[in-house]
Amino acid sequence: MIKQCILSLLCLLWAGQTLLAGELRERVYLQTDKQFYLSGELVWMKFIATDLDQRLSDVSKVGYVELLDSASAVVQARLVLEKGVGNGCLQLPSTLPTGNYRLVAYTRYMRNEGEEVFFEKPLTVVNTFVTNEALLTDTLLPAYSFTRQGGTVSVSPDRMTYDTRSGGEIRINGLPPDLQTLSVSIAGIDLYKPSARSGIVDWKQSMPTTGSSPADRKFLAEYEGPILTGKVIDLSTGEPSSKEAVRPLLGFSGGEIRLFGGQLGAAGEVTFFTKHISGTHEIVTVALSPSSSRYRVDIESPYATHPEKELPALRLNPAWQDELVKRSVGLQVYRSDSLVREKAEKPWFQWQPDWSYLLDEYTRFTTMEEVVIEFIPGLRFRKMDGVRRLAVLTEERIGYTIGNSLVLLDGIPIVDHEVIFKYDPLKIRKIDVYKGKYVFGGQIFDGIASFSSYEHNYPGLVVDNSTQFFDYEGTQAQRIFYMPAYRTETEKRSPVPDFRHTLLWRPDIRTNGESSISIPFTTSDLTGDFTITIEGLTQTGEALYATEQFQVK
């Protein structure tokens, strides 16, 4: 029985036929908790992917978000999309210069139509950690004034004035029964808003319906998860190679097995179809070859290349200084990472080993050959064509045969098994053996031998230049906005500071068909005006938008 570790072929074929037939054009809307930020703050965001009729798109499973200056990206993130919706946040660097920026969002499939169909909106960032004498000022520039907005949907707080560290409730009325998605944010009013037209209603009215239509759709939709691309390079020539016998592999170093086989193209391009690779990792690429020739795999950036665009100079009113100082102090006292709680993910490789050996439970030998011979009857080192190979023994009707086995050290595919033969067994804590056949991206292996060190950091491993290591940032791990509760007087008098400028961020509200719902929130130690913003989409593509304001004293 072949144990499949590849993508769902039928789903990919269906998606490919649908997309190539031109039946879908994706569009994106990106909601943020506000538009005016300080360097070092979090930008909370919700990603919505739809078709041209604003129905949620279930094709792309990855959304791309980039904060750009006039020429390049300063912060990038990829979000997991479920039925067209994803959420996450951008951590603005504390060194980010004061200025106007543009926030761009898109899916990989949208790159076939070009930059003109990407979502884009302006953001303003002020760096309060450095003094910028060259910053332009304008004493006549007013602070952003609030204008109440609404339509069929309305929102209202249970009172218009709150104390600090107190509980409140907002009421949303007029919700339609065919709601697709709904979100709510409560944030301190922006001192300056770079664009008054930034809501979901404005997006729908100005959404481009057509873009470029290239004859070949180069960018496949990420129907299951992130698609990584690169080139297979012949080390003897330095040129791309497309030899069919070369088998590219991409693995993740660490304590679990995460391995993906690559699909090799005619010009040496390689494509890895992956899934469940959230967070920051070290990835490893190798190119297995049956001959003595050596190859490497170079990975390309998954993000689009953007044309340079001139941005307007930022002007600030010096009268805003006190408010900026108060917000800056709050940012430094109340660390942004304390607002984030991450959910754990299930392991990608869920097969259990057939044999598992904790070497500290046995007599420790000084050579790997002795360990294999004495303790692990299902493994053997054998020389084939003058090359030493480690193989999982495959049971047949009579005796055993040695097949093409996959060998891993802390998740790293080992091309030259002589490396394992000479590796210090005292650095290995456990050896797992998986018998049977395993498939990674169409590449079949006769069993897996997985070696794990004590810290999963492959100590002393020496490989040649056919094995490449990269720091890789996958899709964001799912994050939950943290809001403290102040139910008792003891909690209200807590010495732990609470300088949240964003009081509430709920990107995925469930209404269960109700026309009216209530959502609780708590105020922080910050005083001033706060804005409630409601945004959503119905199944018929109607955009929902409503705002209200209250004060904290």
Side-chain angles (χ1 to χ4, degrees):
M1 175 181 179
I2 297 179
K3 300 174 182 178
Q4 298 289 345
C5 299
I6 59 176
L7 305 177
S8 174
L9 181 59
L10 290 177
C11 290
L12 283 175
L13 288 175
W14 173 85
Q17 290 173 353
T18 300
L19 298 177
L20 290 176
E23 298 175 7
L24 173 70
R25 290 180 184 266
E26 288 185 314
R27 296 295 181 262
V28 164
Y29 175 71
L30 190 74
Q31 179 190 359
T32 56
D33 57 328
K34 49 204 172 200
Q35 282 189 268
F36 184 94
Y37 295 88
L38 301 187
S39 299
E41 285 187 328
L42 287 174
V43 179
W44 290 96
M45 54 193 181
K46 176 180 179 177
F47 192 108
I48 302 175
T50 73
D51 59 18
L52 292 181
D53 295 320
Q54 289 82 54
R55 293 186 297 262
L56 294 180
S57 170
D58 197 23
V59 174
S60 292
K61 297 300 186 294
V62 180
Y64 293 76
V65 181
E66 300 185 72
L67 185 67
L68 308 170
D69 58 19
S70 60
S72 59
V74 294
V75 190
Q76 298 172 315
R78 284 187 287 175
L79 308 180
V80 175
L81 304 183
E82 294 183 6
K83 296 183 179 179
V85 177
N87 62 84
C89 58
L90 288 180
Q91 176 70 65
L92 300 181
S94 59
T95 55
L96 192 63
T98 296
N100 284 316
Y101 294 84
R102 49 191 177 125
L103 192 64
V104 176
Y106 55 94
T107 64
R108 188 177 192 270
Y109 183 66
M110 288 170 64
R111 294 175 65 181
N112 291 304
E113 294 187 75
E115 184 94 8
E116 61 266 29
V117 302
F118 290 2
F119 173 86
E120 181 174 324
K121 77 174 182 179
L123 290 187
T124 295
V125 178
V126 174
N127 192 320
T128 57
F129 298 112
V130 297
T131 301
N132 187 351
E133 301 293 345
L135 184 63
L136 299 175
T137 60
D138 186 348
T139 57
L140 300 178
L141 189 66
Y144 168 70
S145 59
F146 171 74
T147 301
R148 183 177 292 102
Q149 298 187 44
T152 57
V153 174
S154 64
V155 59
S156 59
D158 57 347
R159 54 187 185 273
M160 300 307 294
T161 303
Y162 297 87
D163 296 326
T164 57
R165 296 199 178 194
S166 64
E169 188 175 84
I170 60 173
R171 186 75 177 174
I172 306 175
N173 297 308
L175 291 168
D178 64 337
L179 197 65
Q180 287 191 103
T181 183
L182 183 70
S183 60
V184 59
S185 68
I186 303 178
I189 194 167
D190 293 328
L191 288 175
Y192 170 78
K193 202 164 186 178
S195 173
R197 295 177 59 83
S198 60
I200 195 168
V201 176
D202 299 320
W203 162 75
K204 179 179 177 179
Q205 293 174 350
S206 61
M207 185 185 69
T209 57
T210 59
S212 303
S213 299
D216 59 326
R217 296 183 180 271
K218 175 182 177 182
F219 299 101
L220 299 176
E222 293 174 308
Y223 186 76
E224 284 284 336
I227 295 176
L228 279 69
T229 59
K231 292 282 189 181
V232 173
I233 305 298
D234 189 330
L235 292 178
S236 63
T237 64
E239 297 295 328
S241 174
S242 59
K243 291 186 177 179
E244 294 181 0
V246 176
R247 295 181 295 161
L249 289 176
L250 183 146
F252 286 67
S253 65
E256 62 175 312
I257 296 177
R258 289 189 183 186
L259 194 71
F260 302 92
Q263 308 298 316
L264 190 59
E269 67 276 11
V270 61
T271 304
F272 297 96
F273 296 90
T274 73
K275 58 181 177 180
H276 304 313
I277 54 172
S278 64
T280 301
H281 305 274
E282 181 181 58
I283 64 173
V284 186
T285 60
V286 301
L288 303 181
S289 173
S291 67
S292 59
S293 300
R294 293 292 186 182
Y295 303 86
R296 73 168 191 264
V297 179
D298 293 344
I299 296 296
E300 300 169 340
S301 171
Y303 292 94
T305 301
H306 306 279
E308 186 171 348
K309 180 182 294 186
E310 185 176 355
L311 298 175
L314 176 62
R315 297 175 182 269
L316 296 177
N317 192 329
W320 302 343
Q321 182 175 355
D322 291 344
E323 186 67 26
L324 288 173
V325 169
K326 180 174 69 173
R327 187 165 161 184
S328 177
V329 171
L331 170 64
Q332 297 174 65
V333 172
Y334 197 73
R335 289 174 54 87
S336 62
D337 56 6
S338 65
L339 294 171
V340 176
R341 292 179 177 178
E342 295 189 356
K343 286 185 177 180
E345 287 195 342
K346 294 181 180 179
W348 174 78
F349 188 85
Q350 300 187 37
W351 299 105
Q352 297 300 313
D354 294 283
W355 302 292
S356 187
Y357 301 88
L358 292 172
L359 298 189
D360 286 339
E361 297 179 355
Y362 302 85
T363 301
R364 298 307 302 253
F365 290 99
T366 58
T367 68
M368 196 65 73
E369 184 178 30
E370 291 175 302
V371 172
V372 169
I373 291 174
E374 296 295 333
F375 302 137
I376 310 179
L379 287 181
R380 283 293 181 270
F381 282 106
R382 290 288 187 268
K383 274 193 174 183
M384 294 180 287
D385 299 325
V387 178
R388 201 186 316 267
R389 305 288 297 173
L390 178 62
V392 177
L393 298 180
T394 304
E395 188 172 2
E396 302 287 352
R397 291 183 179 180
I398 301 176
Y400 295 88
T401 61
I402 296 177
N404 173 42
S405 299
L406 175 65
V407 178
L408 305 171
L409 173 58
D410 288 334
I412 301 170
I414 302 300
V415 178
D416 183 1
H417 293 185
E418 190 74 23
V419 171
I420 291 294
F421 184 80
K422 296 179 179 179
Y423 197 77
D424 184 358
L426 299 181
K427 296 178 180 178
I428 297 298
R429 173 180 174 269
K430 184 176 68 167
I431 301 176
D432 291 325
V433 180
Y434 302 78
K435 66 178 183 178
K437 293 186 181 294
Y438 289 81
V439 181
F440 298 92
Q443 301 180 28
I444 302 176
F445 294 93
D446 299 307
I448 302 172
S450 178
F451 295 74
S452 300
S453 67
Y454 288 88
E455 301 296 331
H456 306 297
N457 60 352
Y458 51 92
L461 176 65
V462 178
V463 294
D464 61 23
N465 55 0
S466 64
T467 301
Q468 295 209 102
F469 294 82
F470 302 89
D471 290 329
Y472 175 79
E473 186 172 352
T475 53
Q476 280 191 0
Q478 188 173 8
R479 300 186 174 201
I480 302 173
F481 181 85
Y482 172 64
M483 181 178 63
Y486 297 114
R487 293 178 292 266
T488 65
E489 287 300 319
T490 301
E491 291 174 333
K492 290 181 179 181
R493 292 195 298 268
S494 169
V496 178
D498 178 4
F499 286 97
R500 287 171 296 133
H501 188 261
T502 296
L503 302 182
L504 179 68
W505 174 252
R506 291 279 301 276
D508 192 14
I509 296 175
R510 305 297 181 183
T511 64
N512 298 320
E514 299 291 333
S515 61
S516 298
I517 60 172
S518 296
I519 301 174
F521 71 95
T522 58
T523 62
S524 65
D525 295 335
L526 288 179
T527 59
D529 296 325
F530 288 80
T531 302
I532 309 169
T533 304
I534 303 295
E535 297 191 76
L537 278 176
T538 69
Q539 293 179 6
T540 57
E542 179 187 358
L544 308 177
Y545 187 82
T547 60
E548 187 53 273
Q549 194 176 75
F550 62 82
Q551 193 173 51
V552 178
K553 294 184 177 180

